[in-house]
Amino acid sequence: MHVSLNKEPVTENPFPYPFRSDNVSIMLVLKGKVKIQINLVTYLVEANHVVVFSPQSIIQVVEVLEGVQSVGVVFTQEFGQKNVASHGDINLARFFTLKEKPVWPLTRHKRDILSALIENLYWLNLDHGAFYQKEKIYHGFNALVLELLEIHRD
């Protein structure tokens, strides 16, 4: 699992060419505006939007319209399945391969919850000597996934 926090707004296009990833990516936009293509469909992504990039999606940043500040998590499907295994009612593989709705608008409250959960995962990921680090990451990741599932149902 990789977690990123962009404290400084991104004003230049970091990925001018299309690319494909084997991983699941979750990007939460805190500020700014960007046009992104996912599987050749263009989306306008703004502050308070979360984007779920499914594995094997073709992704291209078309244009950064306003400096973007974001936080995000990238993980393999195997990591996701292993870490949410205790929730038998969740078909995580199916959830993270949904293609019909990759961009979700959020209320400010939901944005703040997701941002705090992702930032917590960031710090847990860095603290290699911490007691119960794996367990904390496991539960932090579960909290993030359950929050996303609740948002998706709304």
Side-chain angles (χ1 to χ4, degrees):
M1 177 178 67
H2 173 76
V3 184
S4 70
L5 300 178
N6 291 330
K7 295 292 185 180
E8 296 297 319
V10 175
T11 57
E12 300 288 321
N13 188 339
F15 303 104
Y17 301 102
F19 67 94
R20 184 187 316 246
S21 174
D22 293 335
N23 301 315
V24 177
S25 301
I26 299 165
M27 180 177 80
L28 173 62
V29 177
L30 304 172
K31 294 180 183 175
K33 194 182 295 186
V34 62
K35 281 186 186 176
I36 296 176
Q37 271 192 355
I38 304 170
N39 296 325
L40 304 176
V41 177
T42 303
Y43 298 92
L44 179 62
V45 181
E46 302 176 280
N48 301 334
H49 283 176
V50 65
V51 185
V52 177
F53 298 98
S54 300
Q56 302 304 319
S57 293
I58 300 169
I59 304 161
Q60 181 175 7
V61 177
V62 177
E63 182 180 7
V64 177
L65 300 168
E66 294 174 14
V68 174
Q69 184 181 1
S70 65
V71 295
V73 179
V74 179
F75 56 93
T76 64
Q77 281 188 299
E78 178 184 0
F79 176 87
Q81 290 291 2
K82 186 173 86 175
N83 284 289
V84 188
S86 65
H87 302 290
D89 61 331
I90 298 173
N91 186 340
L92 194 66
R94 184 178 173 282
F95 174 70
F96 283 120
T97 57
L98 291 173
K99 305 233 188 268
E100 79 265 3
K101 188 180 170 191
V103 179
W104 310 337
L106 302 173
T107 64
R108 187 178 192 95
H109 176 69
K110 287 294 186 184
R111 184 217 52 196
D112 290 345
I113 290 171
L114 289 181
S115 179
L117 289 169
I118 292 170
E119 190 164 340
N120 186 48
L121 283 172
Y122 176 81
W123 293 112
L124 288 171
N125 228 13
L126 292 179
D127 198 5
H128 295 291
F131 289 111
Y132 309 110
Q133 181 196 21
K134 281 185 176 182
E135 292 80 2
K136 290 178 184 177
I137 289 172
Y138 169 84
H139 290 292
F141 181 77
N142 271 283
L144 175 64
V145 169
L146 292 171
E147 199 64 44
L148 287 167
L149 285 166
E150 181 180 312
I151 291 166
H152 186 262
R153 285 187 179 174
D154 291 344

